[in-house]
Amino acid sequence: MAGKKIAVLATGGTLAGKAASRGDNIGYTAAQLGIEELLAAIPALAGTPIVAEQVAQVDSKDMSFGLWSQLALRCAHWLAQEDVSGLVITHGTDTLEETAYFLQSVLGPAKPVVLTCAMRPATALAPDGPQNIVDALAVAAAEGARGVVAVCAGTIHGAHDVAKQHTYRLDAFSSGDAGPIGYVEEGRLRLLRDWPSPHASAPALYSKSTAATRWPRVEIVMNYAGASAAIVEALVAQGVDGLVAAGTGNGTLHHELEAALLDAQSRGVKVVRATRCVQGRVLSPAGARLPDSDGLSPVKARIALMLELLA
Ligand code: SIN
């Protein structure tokens, strides 16, 4: 958008990672380089109107509720600026989908909020971060773009569907059955479907989430061969507020685990049934005793449940 700038909010990740040797793509420390240094190293950005802010410097495996709140507040600040067309957030790949879903839920922005990342550290022989940043900026500046999306390896994913599905490849993310929103090709967007909704699904929760001193405790328990009641019983004894069951297949649960979850539900613990399958959603039969996650993966169902409980 002519005359408008893009705010780049940095949170760390591999994109800002450093290895001792240039050939090392895996033996590095994430979140080492500052955003000013990373942007200055991309000649293609010369003259691009950018304002950069280092919100955090973390390996995203250590993402916290406090940091989410802080990030949501900084996003709200920059989104409210007339002369800002959109935001880019640099983030580690490991919990990127969770942050994307959280921000879409609490902000539902009418402007684009574009999370981007890297699978290789900045010191790699061929780092992927610089191109991902350039692509993310193209999306943040695009006419009509809106909502929280992720841009990685030239692909635009919506916050609801994006999930990391590969441990090593540069194209590590997928939108599953839904498919990506589109692609970024030489700075141009090729769109396949609509942007995320410009409405927060948890509007009243935003200020509460930022002020909350105690986030609800919601844990994920998985079904597998030989699963038992033990973990659920231990969590209930500790006073857990909610449980997401990552079931097998169509959300099926070992009978012992299911009995423990039904017991937890009867004691007031909120229980949601998702699936550990990477593709597809739980389709509940009529009369199902545990509600399904409405198509959300276990980690996103957990966030949805935390926001519901926070209300
Ligand atoms: C992280 O998630 O911060 C480290 C891993 C990555 O960015 O790929």
Side-chain angles (χ1 to χ4, degrees):
M1 263 172 240
K4 300 219 173 180
K5 61 189 177 203
I6 296 162
V8 178
L9 310 185
T11 71
T14 293
L15 183 139
K18 255 171 112 172
S21 131
R22 283 192 66 84
D24 195 345
N25 288 331
I26 54 169
Y28 60 88
T29 307
Q32 299 299 302
L33 301 170
I35 190 61
E36 299 285 0
E37 191 179 348
L38 291 167
L39 293 174
I42 308 175
L45 297 186
T48 307
I50 290 173
V51 52
E53 178 179 336
Q54 190 80 46
V55 176
Q57 190 65 295
V58 294
D59 185 319
S60 80
K61 69 179 175 55
D62 298 323
M63 185 50 66
S64 66
F65 305 140
L67 183 45
W68 273 352
S69 298
Q70 194 189 337
L71 186 58
L73 273 179
R74 296 315 295 156
C75 286
H77 165 82
W78 287 110
L79 287 167
Q81 310 301 311
E82 276 282 308
D83 61 346
V84 168
S85 66
L87 313 186
V88 167
I89 300 173
T90 60
H91 198 291
T93 59
D94 287 348
T95 58
L96 182 145
E97 70 215 58
E98 293 174 57
T99 301
Y101 182 77
F102 171 74
L103 291 176
Q104 175 63 30
S105 300
V106 298
L107 296 170
K111 292 178 184 178
V113 174
V114 187
L115 284 93
T116 196
C117 55
M119 289 296 286
R120 291 180 183 160
T123 50
L125 280 177
D128 52 329
Q131 185 64 54
N132 284 344
I133 290 177
V134 169
D135 289 347
L137 286 164
V139 175
E143 201 71 48
R146 62 153 201 255
V148 181
V149 299
V151 168
C152 181
T155 309
I156 310 166
H157 302 277
H160 186 278
D161 302 300
V162 66
K164 186 174 180 181
Q165 297 203 338
H166 206 281
T167 56
Y168 182 71
R169 282 189 209 138
L170 304 190
D171 194 2
F173 289 87
S174 166
S175 290
D177 290 347
I181 288 176
Y183 300 101
V184 191
E185 296 162 340
E186 298 300 312
R188 290 186 292 273
L189 273 55
R190 178 159 62 91
L191 296 178
L192 306 177
R193 61 188 184 93
D194 202 8
W195 299 96
S197 159
H199 302 292
S201 57
L205 306 176
Y206 175 54
S207 53
K208 277 197 182 179
S209 71
T210 55
T213 49
R214 180 190 173 274
W215 283 64
R217 181 166 176 208
V218 178
E219 300 287 352
I220 299 172
V221 292
M222 189 185 271
N223 192 48
Y224 40 77
S228 74
I231 294 173
V232 171
E233 285 171 359
L235 289 169
V236 172
Q238 284 182 21
V240 75
D241 300 298
L243 289 167
V244 174
T248 28
N250 189 24
T252 57
L253 300 162
H254 186 288
H255 64 92
E256 286 184 25
L257 176 59
E258 184 168 34
L261 288 165
L262 286 167
D263 184 57
Q265 185 174 250
S266 72
R267 291 164 188 254
V269 177
K270 279 275 200 180
V271 181
V272 168
R273 204 162 41 99
T275 175
R276 68 179 214 187
C277 287
V278 192
Q279 303 255 17
R281 57 187 295 151
V282 173
L283 297 162
S284 288
R289 289 183 295 170
L290 295 172
D292 67 67
S293 67
D294 198 20
L296 291 174
S297 66
V299 290
K300 291 181 184 174
R302 174 175 176 263
I303 295 165
L305 191 47
M306 284 196 305
L307 290 173
E308 186 188 323
L309 289 166
L310 205 56

